[in-house]
Amino acid sequence: MPTRILPAVGDADAVRSLTTLLSQLPDAEPVAPVVDSTGLVDTLARLAAESVDELPEVVVVHERIGPVPALELIREVALRFPAVGVILVTTDASPGLFQAAMDYGARGLVALPLSYEELAVRVQAVAQWSTGVRRHLGAGGDVFTGVGGTVVTVSGAKGGVGATLTAVQLALAAQASGRGTALVDMDLQAGDIASYLDVQFRRSVVDLAAINDISPRVLADAVFRHDTGVALLLAPGEGERGEEVTDRAARGIVSALRSRYEVVVVDCGAQLSGAGAAAVEMADVALLVTTPDVVSVRGAKRTVRMWDRLQIRKAEETTVVVNRHSRASEIQPQLIQKITGTAVAATAIPANFKELQGAVDAGRIHQLDNKSVVKQALWGLAGELGLVRSAEGASHRGRPRGDRGSVRFGRRREIGGGG
């Protein structure tokens, strides 16, 4: 049976030389190369949705692939598609990089300039390993092979606009519909999810920061299972420890969660950290919450422009959620869309903090009355984004996964409070 090999190479010259050599290998079947990290993950996700047998046995990742760095990309592929063997092609064949590549989940390393003999040996070994894993899966092995869960980040245009409340309610809606859901507090210095849900737990996201290979058991030890069924990964109690969660650590944490939960909601707060930026970059849906006032809308515009300058996310891939909306507001969703250059969610959240105050003060936001217009709007937003699996969510059907940030927008209503 031929070995299917998928090259992931951004450089045109490297593509030609690599595909030429791969085509000369015995029993090799190179497939059309992908030119960036997004293309690779999307291609593997599409194939995995059909069957694990549709996946290539070998993926060859070039060191200059982007925008996600090669090692980070290898870790994501290893976590989400463990039946695929990854080979790193690099000019640096030092023992240090070799060890790092293995730690991140690579099955082999080939030095540049490419050697036919070395490439053939590596591809054969990795293909045999991949075949063995697939036999294990066929025998009922408990290894994750799905396309990965949907990651939604929720950021605030400024503090106090309702980002945390939005994140919590989206997670509750997804879990209530029967989808396994994780809620992550990536507002590392000022996270309030624990207060909103009245929980105390000694572990936090910091406990995963130094771990390169986050196993299911390690992940299970770090999360807290709330009464609602939502898995919580909380911010550290000591805000200064948030610096331990680097962008690299955040990528590993989000990838691990994505491989175990159908929906992952990440509260990134209003201050951009390296960890929050990595989460926003990885997200399938990036929400930016604002209120319909001049200061907040200016903050939203600044955030969108900063994300674009830092190449975290383009404006058209960002969805603004309007909170505390009312028809009497001078600033309406259409104007916010024009100012920010983003899409605006059709579901706006109505201004009615009075119905929220008791639940917020008691730390029981999960017990908010079902008649609450704020809760209804937020759960409607979850349906619009495609996060729920129920008859209720069918009328709010959102975009399919993989089409980052392209929800269609109009208007509706808004959130009262919460940070």
Side-chain angles (χ1 to χ4, degrees):
M1 180 177 176
T3 300
R4 291 161 297 180
I5 308 170
L6 174 58
V9 187
D11 180 83
D13 292 335
V15 168
R16 284 191 293 271
S17 62
L18 181 57
T19 53
T20 298
L21 272 181
L22 290 175
S23 64
Q24 296 172 4
L25 299 180
D27 296 323
E29 185 182 303
V31 297
V34 293
V35 298
D36 58 31
S37 56
T38 302
L40 175 61
V41 174
D42 287 349
T43 298
L44 293 176
R46 176 174 51 79
L47 295 171
E50 299 175 22
S51 166
V52 66
D53 292 330
E54 296 299 317
L55 289 166
E57 286 77 16
V58 179
V59 168
V60 180
V61 174
H62 192 274
E63 63 179 354
R64 290 200 298 272
I65 195 73
V68 176
L71 289 179
E72 304 292 346
L73 178 61
I74 289 170
R75 173 158 57 186
E76 184 166 1
V77 171
L79 281 168
R80 294 178 62 180
F81 313 101
V84 175
V86 184
I87 295 173
L88 174 64
V89 176
T90 176
T91 54
D92 179 8
S94 65
L97 181 63
F98 180 84
Q99 184 61 53
M102 298 304 107
D103 289 343
Y104 276 76
R107 303 303 307 179
L109 183 148
V110 176
L112 290 168
L114 291 172
S115 157
Y116 173 86
E117 291 76 13
E118 184 183 8
L119 186 62
V121 169
R122 284 293 97 216
V123 166
Q124 183 180 21
V126 172
Q128 289 175 349
W129 173 87
S130 176
T131 301
V133 170
R134 292 174 200 220
R135 288 200 199 97
H136 175 63
L137 292 175
D142 183 20
V143 180
F144 179 81
T145 59
V147 299
T150 299
V151 175
V152 180
T153 55
V154 184
S155 305
K158 68 178 189 65
V161 297
T164 297
L165 181 60
T166 301
V168 170
Q169 290 295 331
L170 290 178
L172 291 174
Q175 181 69 38
S177 76
R179 303 190 74 184
T181 303
L183 175 60
V184 187
D185 200 339
M186 203 67 82
D187 188 0
L188 298 171
Q189 293 187 340
D192 283 326
I193 286 178
S195 298
Y196 271 63
L197 297 174
D198 192 28
V199 297
Q200 294 182 346
F201 189 55
R202 63 186 180 85
R203 294 198 180 276
S204 74
V205 66
V206 171
D207 292 292
L208 298 177
I211 301 174
N212 282 331
D213 185 10
I214 302 174
S215 68
R217 177 174 293 180
V218 169
L219 187 63
D221 287 342
V223 301
F224 175 82
R225 182 71 62 177
H226 190 257
D227 293 342
T228 59
V230 175
L232 304 178
L233 186 56
L234 302 172
E238 305 82 16
E240 66 275 13
R241 293 201 65 195
E243 296 181 358
E244 298 175 32
V245 185
T246 63
D247 56 343
R248 176 179 293 182
R251 289 184 186 281
I253 291 166
V254 172
S255 293
L257 288 165
R258 174 183 252 158
S259 73
R260 295 292 156 184
Y261 297 94
E262 292 179 84
V263 176
V264 180
V265 181
V266 185
D267 179 5
C268 294
Q271 299 295 321
L272 184 68
S273 64
V280 171
E281 184 181 6
M282 295 178 68
D284 299 290
V285 179
L287 302 180
L288 181 60
V289 181
T290 186
T291 49
D293 58 83
V294 171
V295 174
S296 294
V297 174
R298 283 178 177 170
K301 184 177 180 180
R302 280 197 307 271
T303 298
V304 169
R305 287 184 171 180
M306 178 172 61
W307 287 358
D308 189 50
R309 287 195 306 272
L310 297 177
Q311 298 183 344
I312 295 169
R313 202 171 192 92
K314 296 177 181 178
E316 58 268 25
E317 295 178 337
T318 302
T319 304
V320 167
V321 176
V322 182
N323 182 24
R324 303 191 194 116
H325 173 266
S326 73
R327 293 182 180 180
S329 300
E330 291 187 16
I331 300 177
Q332 292 292 320
Q334 296 97 324
L335 179 58
I336 295 173
Q337 181 175 4
K338 184 177 180 181
I339 291 171
T340 60
T342 66
V344 175
T347 307
I349 318 301
N352 197 340
F353 183 71
K354 184 180 294 186
E355 69 178 26
L356 297 175
Q357 189 164 7
V360 171
D361 290 345
R364 311 291 291 177
I365 200 65
H366 53 289
Q367 294 180 349
L368 192 61
D369 195 307
N370 288 335
K371 296 180 181 178
S372 161
V373 295
V374 173
K375 178 176 179 178
Q376 290 174 6
L378 284 167
W379 286 42
L381 175 63
E384 178 186 335
L385 299 174
L387 304 183
V388 299
R389 185 202 297 139
S390 69
E392 291 179 9
S395 62
H396 299 281
R397 211 176 292 277
R399 64 171 181 72
R401 278 192 77 251
D403 182 16
R404 287 200 336 180
S406 59
V407 185
R408 267 195 334 236
F409 312 97
R411 24 184 307 255
R412 229 192 242 170
R413 316 212 246 203
E414 208 278 335
I415 276 188

